[in-house]
Amino acid sequence: MLHVIGLGLGDAKDITVKGLETIKQCNRVYLESYTSILSVNLKDLEQFYGCPIMEADRELVESNVDEILPKENENVAFLVVGDPLGATTHTDLILRAREKNVNVKIVHNSSILTAIGCCGLQLYRFGETVSIPYWNKDWRPTSFYERIVSNRQRDLHTLCLLDIKVKEPTIESIVKKKREYMPPQFMSVSEAAVQLLQIIEDRKETQVPGALNESSLAVGLARVGWDNQSIEVCTLEEMARTELGPPLHCLIIPSINLHPIESALINLYKNKE
């Protein structure tokens, strides 16, 4: 059996009772290490769960999945920060396991997709979630902006998940076929806001209903579910100068019209300066 287990968002103690009991019954335990992070390190997890844990990077999960899948009469736990089905990466793992006639069980947990309700915006008013990637000189995608505008046209909020680069090979190493990796990068709310403001500037002559501007409301969240969680509500222009500290960050672009209760709650986090 392959057990895909959600760890929640904070530390080792956020695992469910079912998840912890399942880990203790497994022959091998892996921690997926490239779509999110916890507030604790691998040794803390091993101490709390009472077993050794192997790190599973993107290369192992996407290219060498057979190394993870259980052999005959074996149980394997694959640990995921948040909820196991919060990312398409893990859906793909489950599909490949079932293609090889491996039984799969899911143990759910809290996810950023639900925990964002901590800022006061109502979950049922969120539209399509988008991902904002890092730009470089040769690649500046903007499709996430169109989806934000589409949500606003339907009076819906948008959760923006911000880029994470962990153990990403450098272009040079791929060409040389000798793997060398870039330092880890975690996009901040200010970096995401700067990219959105650049798109707004580029499209000033062709703006459509629901388009963003410098004064559009934005909600920045950092380390959701951690003891030092941080939330800031301000304009998009102000968000580009906002420092929320260490990762992980995410950004919300609220709908144009807020429910009175939503307004009252997010006002608690507005910049008072």
Side-chain angles (χ1 to χ4, degrees), residues 116-122 126 157 217-221 231-234 252-272:
I116 52 170
C118 64
C119 72
L121 296 176
Q122 297 168 350
F126 277 80
H157 313 310
L217 194 65
V219 182
L221 302 95
I231 302 173
E232 185 71 47
V233 177
C234 57
I252 297 172
I253 304 299
S255 64
I256 297 171
N257 301 299
L258 299 182
H259 187 280
I261 294 177
E262 291 180 312
S263 294
L265 286 170
I266 69 168
N267 278 339
L268 299 174
Y269 302 107
K270 278 195 175 176
N271 192 331
K272 300 297 190 295

Side-chain angles (χ1 to χ4, degrees), residues 28-173:
R28 289 182 283 131
V29 181
Y30 291 88
L31 172 66
E32 185 266 274
S33 62
Y34 59 92
T35 61
S36 190
I37 56 174
L38 289 169
S39 65
V40 294
N41 60 36
L42 190 65
K43 289 190 180 299
D44 294 323
L45 295 183
E46 289 179 328
Q47 184 175 1
F48 188 77
Y49 300 158
C51 65
I53 300 173
M54 294 171 280
E55 245 181 301
D57 60 18
R58 185 186 297 275
E59 188 175 344
L60 176 61
V61 178
E62 295 184 354
S63 303
N64 300 290
V65 69
D66 287 345
E67 292 183 27
I68 296 174
L69 296 180
K71 310 299 186 286
E72 190 174 353
N73 299 321
E74 190 180 35
N75 286 301
V76 171
F78 185 79
L79 312 182
V80 179
V81 177
D83 185 85
L85 300 182
T88 54
T89 295
H90 312 122
T91 306
D92 183 62
L93 171 67
I94 292 164
L95 286 172
R96 284 184 288 165
R98 288 182 171 157
E99 285 172 2
K100 295 177 181 292
N101 297 315
V102 172
N103 291 321
V104 180
K105 281 190 177 180
I106 308 295
V107 181
H108 293 285
N109 208 320
S110 59
S111 163
I112 190 62
L113 299 174
T114 53
I116 52 170
C118 64
C119 72
L121 296 176
Q122 297 168 350
L123 291 179
Y124 68 86
R125 294 196 61 208
F126 277 80
E128 182 181 359
T129 298
V130 307
S131 297
I132 300 183
Y134 277 112
W135 284 348
N136 60 43
K137 62 179 181 179
D138 302 314
W139 192 64
R140 291 165 62 94
T142 60
S143 58
F144 56 87
Y145 178 79
E146 281 90 18
R147 296 201 291 275
I148 293 171
V149 171
S150 175
N151 282 340
R152 281 166 61 85
Q153 289 172 341
R154 291 175 288 144
D155 214 18
L156 299 174
H157 313 310
T158 306
L159 169 62
C160 305
L161 301 177
L162 309 186
D163 203 359
I164 297 173
K165 292 185 180 297
V166 177
K167 207 174 180 183
E168 293 277 337
T170 62
I171 300 298
E172 295 80 6
S173 74

